[in-house]
């Protein structure tokens, strides 16, 4: 599985904010910290705010903060929200795609189960788990 670059950047933003959840950060500071252009970070912050994951405040003393504590943000929720329109393979598209092997292909079932397991693992993982050593995450 491969995540969109924008999802990768959004996870980096959340990790940065999760390091000090009460600290407001500017989009410029976030951009420099994660090595992504500021205009990308601004769009990502808008998407995260729309998802209820961050809060933004304009003006002096403003910036971006997590809307919820790191332990209340599930990585699966973030990935689902940001990857909603991305099909793993052609036949997973909302319109059914144009797969020449449908309907007799069994690969779709295998890939579907693999994707379900991948997302189940992400659903069981919180932002807090990703900020340090956690007993929930087992390196393989």
């Amino acid at each position: 599985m491969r995540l969109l670059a924008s999802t990768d950047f959004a996870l980096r933003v959340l990790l940065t904010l999760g390091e000090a959840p009460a600290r407001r950060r500017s989009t410029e500071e976030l951009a420099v910290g994660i090595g992504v252009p500021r205009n990308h970070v601004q769009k990502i912050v808008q998407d995260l705010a729309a998802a209820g994951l961050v809060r933004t405040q304009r003006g002096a003393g403003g910036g971006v903060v997590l809307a919820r504590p790191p332990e209340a943000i599930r990585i699966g929720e973030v990935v689902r929200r940001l990857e909603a329109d991305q099909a793993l393979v052609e036949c997973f598209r909302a319109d059914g795609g144009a797969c020449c092997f449908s309907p007799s292909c069994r690969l779709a079932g295998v890939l579907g189960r693999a994707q379900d397991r991948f997302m189940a693992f992400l659903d069981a993982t919180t932002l807090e788990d990703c900020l340090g050593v956690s007993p929930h995450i087992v390196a393989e």
Side-chain angles (χ1 to χ4, degrees):
M1 298 214 43
R2 182 180 178 111
L3 300 177
L4 296 170
S6 58
T7 303
D8 176 22
F9 300 156
L11 291 168
R12 293 186 211 181
V13 165
L14 292 172
L15 286 168
T16 301
L17 294 173
E19 291 171 351
R23 181 175 168 213
R24 291 191 181 278
R25 296 178 191 254
S26 69
T27 54
E28 181 64 33
E29 181 183 358
L30 289 168
V32 169
I34 66 171
V36 175
R38 189 169 73 107
N39 61 331
H40 285 26
V41 171
Q42 287 174 321
K43 170 70 170 110
I44 288 163
V45 165
Q46 288 174 348
D47 291 345
L48 292 173
L53 296 165
V54 301
R55 285 192 319 263
T56 61
Q57 181 177 335
R58 292 178 174 252
V64 183
V65 294
L66 291 177
R68 295 184 257 161
E71 65 272 13
I73 297 174
R74 301 236 165 242
I75 301 302
E77 170 191 8
V78 177
V79 170
R80 268 192 190 82
R81 175 72 183 228
L82 300 176
E83 301 271 328
D85 297 330
Q86 300 303 310
L88 180 62
V89 288
E90 180 78 14
C91 59
F92 286 13
R93 289 184 7 193
D95 66 1
C99 179
C100 62
F101 296 110
S102 291
S104 62
C105 178
R106 292 185 185 169
L107 182 60
V110 170
L111 293 175
R113 286 190 302 278
Q115 183 177 27
D116 290 345
R117 288 182 181 148
F118 176 72
M119 292 308 299
F121 186 81
L122 295 182
D123 288 338
T125 306
T126 66
L127 181 61
E128 181 180 54
D129 293 331
C130 298
L131 291 170
V133 178
S134 171
H136 296 96
I137 306 298
V138 179
E140 295 185 29

